[in-house]
Structure formats: C-alpha cells, structure tokens
Amino acid sequence: ARGRVAQARGRNEEAADCYRKAVEINRKWQLPWDEAKALAEWGAIPGNELRRREALEIFVQVGAEREIEQLRH
C-alpha cells in the first residue's frame, strides 16, 4: 500500500523502494503470486518496464490468467 500511495503522490523513487522490499519479502517466503503483483506495480513506474515483464513470467508460471491478461493490455 505504501508503494501505491508514494506513486500516487509522484514519489516514484520511494514507491520503487517499497515495491523492491515487497518483492524481496515475497521471494523469501516463496509467494510467487504476491511477488509478481509487486513487480507489476513496480513496473508501472516509468523506467521500470522490465519489472512488468518479470511479473508476466511469474504469472504465466502460476497460471494467473486474469493477471496475465491485465499485463498484456
């Protein structure tokens, strides 16, 4: 939630840091869907498009069809 708030306020660096931390935690606890969700949100920040691609790869692996469709459009 902090990442979204920071992003909405135009504080992209702060938002990216929040998403990075969320990705680290979700990787540690082996929560791929949550990891991908954080990556997708991180990837919405200009200059971080690679994160969206990483999210898409994970969503494909876990079969998250709705999220795959959202990222492809």
Side-chain angles (χ1 to χ4, degrees):
R2 289 181 181 175
R4 287 187 201 159
V5 171
Q7 190 173 356
R9 293 181 176 166
R11 297 192 300 229
N12 289 341
E13 287 184 34
E14 180 182 341
D17 189 50
C18 290
Y19 295 135
R20 181 189 54 75
K21 289 175 185 174
V23 168
E24 288 175 3
I25 291 167
N26 289 312
R27 282 183 182 159
K28 176 182 177 182
W29 292 102
Q30 299 178 1
L31 301 168
W33 188 89
D34 294 314
E35 175 186 346
K37 195 73 174 159
L39 283 165
E41 292 177 7
W42 188 0
I45 299 171
N48 293 283
E49 292 78 14
L50 176 61
R51 304 300 177 210
R52 284 180 63 90
R53 287 190 289 260
E54 291 178 69
L56 182 59
E57 290 175 15
I58 294 170
F59 283 141
V60 167
Q61 290 172 3
V62 299
E65 294 299 323
R66 187 182 77 196
E67 288 77 8
I68 293 167
E69 193 64 29
Q70 289 173 344
L71 284 177
R72 288 188 172 158
H73 291 99

